[in-house]
Amino acid sequence: MAAAIDLRGVALVRRTQEELHYDLKRTALNFVRGHARRVHRHTVIDRLDLVVEHGEKIGIIGPNGSGKSTVLKLIAGVLRPTRGIVRVSGSVAPLIEIGVGFDPDLTLVDNIVYYGVLMGRDEHEMRERVDAILDFAELGTIREQPTKTLSSGMSARLGFAIATEFRPDILLLDEVLAVGDERFRRKCTARLDRFWDAHSTIVLVSHDMAYIARSCERVIWIDGGQIHFDGPAALGVEKYLASVPAGNGFTRGAQLVELAANSRTGEIPVRGTSPTEQGMQVFLIRDGMRRPISNDDFSLSDYTWDDIIHVDDAVILEVPEGERVG
Amino acid sequence: MTSLTRSVPAFGPPRRLEIRRWTDLIRMTALRSLKVRYRGTILGVLWSFANPAMMTVVYTVIFGAAYSRYFGGSIERYVMSAFVGLVVVTFFLAATTEAMGSVVGNGGLLNKIAVPTAVFPLASVAANVFQQTVTTFPIVLVLSAVVTHDALHVVLVPVVLLALVALSTGFGLALAALYVFFRDLPHLWAIAGFVLWITSPLFYPAEIAPERIRAWFAINPVANALTALREVTIGTGPLDPAPVLAAVAGGAFALLTGALVFRALRRDFMDLL
């Protein structure tokens, strides 16, 4: 039997985002001036080989921009490799990630049915499943409202409910555990556990090292578009965390809580070496909403154990349940 | 070597016919665009009749008397001529403009599910075809039967309409692909649409245009479709096959060219969506 996922010598070269500012006017001007603008391309994934067997649960880790999500998109068939072969055997659920491509003007029900048809399902089959999906997402009361009325957390819930309604052979998860409120996250985790127990193949991208170490058997650490480590999850996570430089004024997870506990005010001195000064953005995720926090008042006492603090997309602080902060 | 193999289409029962998947996707995508467009409107799909009808009234009030002598002194013929012309031009502009935005507008979905990209421009055209099929297209057909009393004319009406659809599809595919790379394309297309409108013998008789402009009529694909549809609906005397053939050839050529442009540019879409 063929492997569930088989990537052989895969490379992906993409046009850079600055091309977005490419327009006809500028093209015409450049043409008149006699120099056509070269298209800028860069290699996102380089000579990547990855074989995932049926039923394997693997986690993909690595710094931001290393190509983790891109690997998922290659597996999902959303992106095609520039070189190499991508073989996928079995049905693939759509990528589950923050920000779902719903039509804002359609009702929830219409979006569910449409999404299902895009996934290759039958229209009638989707109509029968609508109630179950809305039930799971806990959005049954607003089924006929336009989808734009949903908060980002709610639409993430809906996306998760649709993609997991059918038991796909291969499930691709991109930071899905960072959305929704605590209660819904537990519900999602419970549903995912069902897949975990079943024979589904799961590929999970996350910065939640604890979750990866706990739930995955195998970890792929990607850096600069190449596989840096491929092996047992616990070992991979350990090696990855050890590699993260601690000298930039930022400590992570448990260390941060310890720092707060030891300090008199419960504040962590981040001023002066603040992440935004280094061009990073700090986010607070509370009740499923993600919002930027200013660094000047970045003190732990403002936050409860429900909160997650991100720098860019990496979790730096997830205060464990039951522990008091500040 | 570059290849991507899947044992089953993106998600779903294996061995599902590829064609069935395409038609399902196009039908549902077209339906979605119609639902969004007519949510909360009173007239709904009737608007696609109201648009050319009201324009016909406006043109007739302003130009009818002045130009009727080119139509054998008959205001009725001017009205019919203007209406048939407006059906062609409004359909072409509506379908191509909607198709142009369709790939970029569905960038979010395309980043999530492996869907054939061409579904979106094709669905845009399909939605517009549906709108006209329940409004203006039957009127044009009835008009042909009533005015020409000739089976050949009536039979050729769907042929000319298909040529118009092919023409719009070709332009729609090319515009949708180009818009991914040139985000100022809608501004340009708005101007091009107006130029097309004013340079097609739509509300004025072709005879009043200067000789060198009339050469443009011959190569303007929309003017060709317009002349052909007039010939088969309100033509007098025996059928002149020239405009019909020109419209069919123009439609086929545009469809082929549009499909090739789309195919050639498709590879880089996802990098810019």
Side-chain angles (χ1 to χ4, degrees):
Chain A
M1 196 176 173
I5 300 165
D6 188 353
L7 276 65
R8 294 253 174 97
V10 167
L12 182 72
V13 181
R14 306 192 77 177
R15 294 172 70 142
T16 51
Q17 284 295 319
E18 66 189 283
E19 293 298 321
L20 265 185
H21 305 291
Y22 208 59
D23 54 35
L24 267 179
K25 191 184 73 187
R26 206 175 309 178
T27 308
L29 274 176
N30 284 335
F31 188 76
V32 169
R33 291 190 195 123
H35 50 90
R37 230 177 74 158
R38 267 187 309 113
V39 171
H40 298 279
R41 292 178 191 272
H42 69 290
T43 305
V44 186
I45 299 288
D46 196 13
R47 294 189 306 273
L48 191 108
D49 294 294
L50 174 65
V51 177
V52 182
E53 298 299 335
H54 287 277
E56 257 193 297
K57 330 288 183 202
I58 75 166
I60 301 184
I61 58 175
N64 291 325
S66 57
K68 301 184 298 292
S69 302
T70 311
V71 171
L72 287 194
K73 287 187 176 182
L74 283 165
I75 297 171
V78 163
L79 295 177
R80 278 152 192 272
T82 315
R83 285 186 299 278
I85 303 173
V86 174
R87 273 207 192 87
V88 175
S89 139
S91 58
V92 186
L95 223 58
I96 308 174
E97 58 178 357
I98 307 167
V100 197
F102 291 128
D103 190 314
D105 293 312
L106 277 188
T107 65
L108 266 55
V109 171
D110 287 337
N111 259 318
I112 292 170
V113 173
Y114 182 59
Y115 220 78
V117 171
L118 288 184
M119 281 157 53
R121 290 279 151 184
D122 191 75
E123 188 189 340
H124 302 289
E125 186 187 4
M126 282 315 291
R127 296 217 176 273
E128 284 164 19
R129 300 277 198 143
V130 160
D131 289 327
I133 291 168
L134 283 170
D135 267 1
F136 184 82
E138 296 167 21
L139 296 169
T141 52
I142 53 168
R143 51 187 292 144
E144 294 299 338
Q145 277 189 30
T147 309
K148 62 183 163 203
T149 57
L150 295 189
S151 71
S152 59
M154 286 160 134
S155 81
R157 262 152 59 181
L158 190 58
F160 182 90
I162 299 173
T164 54
E165 173 63 22
F166 303 96
R167 187 167 293 192
D169 299 328
I170 298 167
L171 196 63
L172 308 171
L173 305 167
D174 194 353
E175 277 301 353
V176 66
L177 301 161
V179 296
D181 53 35
E182 185 59 28
R183 199 177 57 78
F184 194 77
R185 281 176 53 179
R186 288 201 193 122
K187 198 170 160 182
C188 290
T189 317
R191 186 178 254 210
L192 284 181
D193 285 343
R194 235 176 56 200
F195 292 113
W196 235 274
D197 297 335
H199 296 294
S200 305
T201 309
I202 297 178
V203 183
L204 164 80
V205 165
S206 181
H207 288 285
D208 187 343
M209 294 302 148
Y211 187 80
I212 287 204
R214 203 166 55 235
S215 314
C216 299
E217 301 140 12
R218 179 178 161 199
V219 136
I220 311 285
W221 167 9
I222 293 182
D223 211 335
Q226 286 179 308
I227 293 182
H228 202 75
F229 173 92
D230 180 351
L235 184 62
V237 167
E238 191 185 312
K239 276 179 180 286
Y240 175 66
L241 285 178
S243 79
V244 177
N248 62 359
F250 256 85
T251 35
R252 285 163 188 274
Q255 279 173 289
L256 204 56
V257 177
E258 201 180 83
L259 252 176
N262 291 340
S263 82
R264 237 177 330 124
T265 55
E267 286 188 8
I268 295 182
V270 286
R271 205 180 305 214
T273 54
S274 73
T276 45
E277 281 175 18
Q278 297 162 22
M280 291 192 280
Q281 178 70 59
V282 182
F283 293 97
L284 166 69
I285 296 188
R286 179 181 286 177
D287 299 332
M289 298 291 289
R290 183 173 136 120
R291 62 165 186 268
I293 349 174
S294 126
N295 281 302
D296 296 337
D297 52 17
F298 184 76
S299 88
L300 268 185
S301 49
D302 295 337
Y303 306 114
T304 70
W305 60 265
D306 263 342
D307 297 336
I308 303 173
I309 296 166
H310 280 204
V311 172
D312 286 345
D313 286 327
V315 180
I316 58 156
L317 170 64
E318 193 169 3
V319 185
E321 183 172 352
E323 215 153 312
R324 271 203 161 315
V325 179
Chain B
M1 185 175 73
T2 299
S3 82
L4 183 109
T5 54
R6 287 179 180 275
S7 53
V8 281
F11 188 107
R15 289 176 175 278
R16 184 155 188 183
L17 283 174
E18 200 65 358
I19 292 176
R20 174 77 198 281
R21 168 142 170 88
W22 273 84
T23 51
D24 275 359
L25 286 174
I26 292 175
R27 185 174 52 87
M28 289 299 288
T29 307
L31 208 63
R32 177 185 67 152
S33 104
L34 290 171
K35 269 187 182 159
V36 170
R37 192 171 320 155
Y38 296 121
R39 209 167 49 86
T41 64
I42 306 166
L43 287 183
V45 76
L46 284 179
W47 275 114
S48 41
F49 168 70
N51 187 350
M54 286 195 262
M55 295 295 274
T56 304
V57 170
V58 171
Y59 284 149
T60 306
V61 168
I62 299 174
F63 303 112
Y67 289 145
S68 63
R69 65 192 173 90
Y70 292 95
F71 295 87
S74 155
I75 290 265
E76 289 78 18
R77 287 202 63 80
Y78 178 84
V79 169
M80 291 189 288
S81 174
F83 179 76
V84 171
L86 281 160
V87 166
V88 171
V89 176
T90 50
F91 171 80
F92 177 79
L93 288 179
T96 51
T97 304
E98 190 179 332
M100 176 169 55
S102 64
V103 171
V104 169
N106 286 291
L109 273 178
L110 286 168
N111 262 299
K112 201 153 301 251
I113 310 180
V115 186
T117 328
V119 160
F120 297 104
L122 293 179
S124 304
V125 176
N128 281 281
V129 169
F130 169 80
Q131 284 179 292
Q132 303 308 323
T133 304
V134 297
T135 53
T136 57
F137 287 173
I139 297 176
V140 169
L141 205 63
V142 168
L143 202 61
S144 170
V146 170
V147 177
T148 66
H149 297 292
D150 178 43
L152 182 63
H153 279 79
V154 178
V155 166
L156 283 175
V157 169
V159 174
V160 173
L161 289 178
L162 273 178
L164 171 65
V165 171
L167 179 74
S168 312
T169 309
F171 272 84
L173 283 169
L175 287 167
L178 290 169
Y179 182 35
V180 176
F181 303 91
F182 305 109
R183 299 299 170 98
D184 52 357
L185 194 59
H187 304 290
L188 187 73
W189 190 240
I191 299 167
F194 182 72
V195 171
L196 223 59
W197 186 288
I198 212 80
T199 59
S200 301
L202 187 59
F203 54 89
Y204 54 86
E207 292 90 325
I208 68 156
E211 199 60 49
R212 52 178 197 286
I213 300 293
R214 263 187 263 177
W216 159 251
F217 291 164
I219 55 163
N220 173 353
V222 179
N224 273 333
L226 190 151
T227 313
L229 193 61
R230 277 183 187 149
E231 178 61 31
V232 296
T233 49
I234 54 171
T236 46
L239 184 90
D240 176 8
V244 177
L245 288 174
V248 171
F253 179 73
L255 182 59
L256 191 70
T257 313
L260 288 176
V261 168
F262 193 86
R263 226 175 102 107
L265 296 178
R266 188 175 54 182
R267 198 173 61 90
D268 280 351
F269 280 1
M270 293 313 296
D271 296 349
L272 302 179
L273 290 178

